[in-house]
């Protein structure tokens, strides 16, 4: 039997990355397979944790419950 313990979590991650980069989930999977997608867990200046994602010239920060793209006013605030 296949171990699907983290299937839902991985599926949610792929969906969040797709939304952040404004591409389809299949495009995210393909970019992962081709080594074109970069992801890094990091912390911003305010101490908030986020996932930095980039692929093919697109970049975004994925916070818990929010997405911030370069050129937007500011990342979400604590609270």
């Amino acid at each position: 039997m296949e171990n699907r313990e983290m299937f839902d979590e991985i599926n949610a991650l792929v969906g969040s990355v797709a939304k952040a980069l404004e591409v389809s989930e299949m495009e995210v999977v393909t970019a992962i397979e081709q080594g074109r997608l970069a992801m890094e867990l990091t912390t911003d200046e305010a101490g908030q944790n986020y996932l930095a994602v980039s692929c093919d010239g697109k970049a975004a920060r994925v916070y818990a419950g929010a997405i911030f793209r370069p050129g937007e006013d500011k990342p979400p605030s604590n609270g």
Side-chain angles (χ1 to χ4, degrees), residues 25-78:
E25 291 180 5
M26 186 54 72
E27 288 176 274
V28 170
V29 171
T30 300
I32 292 169
E33 291 172 343
Q34 295 175 347
R36 296 183 291 115
L37 180 73
M39 293 189 286
E40 178 184 6
L41 292 171
T42 190
T43 305
D44 68 13
E45 309 78 32
Q48 296 181 79
N49 296 324
Y50 68 93
L51 176 68
V53 296
S54 62
C55 182
D56 299 336
K58 294 182 178 182
R61 292 179 178 185
V62 180
Y63 290 84
I67 294 171
F68 172 72
R69 295 178 190 89
E72 293 179 351
D73 290 338
K74 61 180 180 177
S77 61
N78 279 334

Side-chain angles (χ1 to χ4, degrees), residues 7-37:
F7 181 81
D8 291 337
E9 290 85 354
I10 293 169
N11 211 20
L13 174 64
V14 169
S16 294
V17 171
K19 184 174 182 178
L21 297 176
E22 300 176 310
V23 298
S24 72
E25 291 180 5
M26 186 54 72
E27 288 176 274
V28 170
V29 171
T30 300
I32 292 169
E33 291 172 343
Q34 295 175 347
R36 296 183 291 115
L37 180 73

